[in-house]
Amino acid sequence: MSSVIKDIMHSLNEGVLTELKLSKSIAHSGESGRAIEKIIINFLKRILPSKYKVDTGFVIDVVGGISKQIDVVIYRDSYHSVLEIGEVKYFMVESVVAVIEVKASIKDKDTLHQALQNIKSVKTLDRSNKGKNDVVYPNPKPMQNLVKILGDSLYGILKAIKGEKSGFNSLDINMIEHKNPLDRNEFRNQVFGAIVTEKSMSSTVLREEFKKFIKDESNLNYWPNMYVDVRGGSLRYATKDHKVTVIAKDAYAFLISDPGAENYTPPLLELAYELISYLRVAPLIDFQPDEYFYGSCGKHKEYVRIK
């Protein structure tokens, strides 16, 4: 890593730590908590690609599921709608790529359990809509796919692009996509979940409490992907060949980093790395508009034939 990049990233991290320290001067606990959330949200906005938005609210699916209130929701708004009552936002689970629980302090098992359950409340939602939703992948070879669809005739392809070929609408070859049914067990189709705190329980207590959680929760898809103590260590997983991962189904063990190690990386920067890495592979999840917006017609009052 170049010294310039290293300096920028460490400056971002130090800026967050400084702001978090200042937030302690806010006497009102509720406002102090909101300030901490806003500090983390502003950090994420600075590092995430612009097509992702960051806010707070609830996550919903079309089969009736609703999450607990989530401190930080990272979502797409260029394809999916955001529903709102007053100033309280409800995000379609298909639009949500990551959620983060922010706690000023996690010093007891009840606070940790609450954060774990909040993350789980999003991960249990049905992004597949009972198998109806597709995963939309950009096609890396749009022209080849167009040939496959329409045949080898260049004339036919050009006519289709212009919208002149019978049975085809006008096509933009740069926007051709292919769809696959959503596999809920595939990591990139899931919602990334993390817990962030400024003051954590000891690594020994965290280890024992997390062991209890994973023993009781048999569905690995509901495990958090990461735990971050911004002034201490982080918790991630390790594969059988000792590679660090945030993919629970690949976990052979979990790791708690050592703040005193020579190669220590600030946990907030580790979170930034894992989030960016995940967003590089996270696909667009399609949704069914009629199930969110009741687009199908009810019983008609009048039927007037025009042909």
Side-chain angles (χ1 to χ4, degrees):
M1 180 184 292
S2 76
S3 60
V4 173
I5 295 174
K6 188 174 181 179
D7 288 345
I8 291 172
M9 295 309 296
H10 280 275
S11 176
L12 286 172
N13 183 69
E14 288 301 317
V16 171
L17 297 183
T18 299
E19 287 191 79
L20 289 173
K21 185 177 180 179
L22 288 171
S23 71
K24 291 182 173 60
S25 65
I26 302 173
H28 191 280
S29 60
E31 291 302 315
S32 177
R34 277 186 279 276
I36 292 170
E37 291 174 14
K38 192 66 176 176
I39 291 166
I40 299 300
I41 286 174
N42 288 340
F43 167 74
L44 293 171
K45 286 180 176 180
R46 295 182 72 177
I47 64 167
L48 295 179
S50 59
K51 69 178 179 179
Y52 296 103
K53 308 301 179 186
V54 191
D55 215 320
T56 185
F58 297 87
V59 185
I60 57 175
D61 64 24
V62 295
V63 297
I66 180 169
S67 75
K68 298 180 184 298
Q69 186 170 14
I70 303 300
D71 297 327
V72 179
V73 180
I74 302 172
Y75 64 101
R76 307 173 192 262
D77 70 349
S78 59
Y79 187 82
H80 307 84
S81 301
V82 177
L83 308 178
E84 191 169 345
I85 301 175
E87 295 184 353
V88 178
K89 292 183 171 62
Y90 291 81
F91 305 93
M92 298 177 177
V93 69
E94 294 92 342
S95 73
V96 176
V97 292
V99 292
I100 300 173
E101 273 299 290
V102 180
K103 300 292 184 184
S105 174
I106 299 180
K107 300 294 286 184
D108 58 77
K109 63 181 181 181
D110 290 338
T111 306
L112 175 62
H113 178 77
Q114 182 189 47
L116 290 167
Q117 292 304 311
N118 285 4
I119 295 294
K120 180 180 173 180
S121 74
V122 176
K123 286 178 171 283
T124 55
L125 296 176
D126 186 4
R127 299 188 94 200
S128 74
N129 187 12
K130 296 183 178 180
K132 298 177 185 178
N133 291 345
D134 288 319
V135 177
V136 183
Y137 297 104
N139 191 338
K141 298 179 179 180
M143 181 57 81
Q144 289 90 325
N145 193 52
L146 190 58
V147 172
K148 183 178 180 181
I149 294 172
L150 302 176
D152 295 329
S153 168
L154 179 59
Y155 177 74
I157 293 172
L158 293 175
K159 296 279 280 186
I161 292 172
K162 294 179 180 179
E164 297 173 0
K165 188 174 177 69
S166 177
F168 290 93
N169 296 321
S170 181
L171 299 175
D172 176 358
I173 62 172
N174 295 313
M175 295 300 292
I176 294 176
E177 300 163 332
H178 63 286
K179 297 183 179 182
N180 292 305
L182 188 149
D183 181 356
R184 296 182 68 180
N185 292 314
E186 191 171 349
F187 170 64
R188 63 179 175 174
N189 296 339
Q190 299 170 8
V191 177
F192 185 101
I195 298 169
V196 173
T197 185
E198 190 183 2
K199 188 181 295 183
S200 182
M201 56 184 61
S202 70
S203 61
T204 302
V205 177
L206 176 62
R207 178 191 68 206
E208 294 306 311
E209 290 302 322
F210 202 75
K211 280 170 64 177
K212 290 178 186 177
F213 171 78
I214 61 179
K215 181 181 179 181
D216 294 339
E217 182 50 72
S218 59
N219 192 327
L220 278 64
N221 294 339
Y222 301 160
W223 293 7
N225 301 99
M226 196 170 179
Y227 178 96
V228 172
D229 177 350
V230 298
R231 297 188 188 276
S234 66
L235 186 152
R236 287 180 288 180
Y237 305 106
T239 63
K240 198 168 185 177
D241 55 353
H242 307 295
K243 293 181 179 178
V244 179
T245 182
V246 292
I247 305 175
K249 71 180 181 65
D250 294 341
Y252 182 72
F254 64 82
L255 306 169
I256 299 176
S257 66
D258 179 8
E262 186 177 342
N263 62 346
Y264 171 73
T265 299
L268 205 55
L269 299 186
E270 291 179 337
L271 175 63
Y273 162 75
E274 296 293 1
L275 270 175
I276 294 296
S277 298
Y278 169 72
L279 294 178
R280 290 180 64 244
V281 300
L284 178 69
I285 308 297
D286 203 0
F287 68 103
Q288 309 298 314
D290 61 308
E291 298 201 33
Y292 276 107
F293 299 103
Y294 301 95
S296 57
C297 183
K299 184 178 180 181
H300 54 268
K301 182 178 181 180
E302 301 285 348
Y303 176 83
V304 181
R305 184 172 176 175
I306 57 176
K307 287 188 179 180

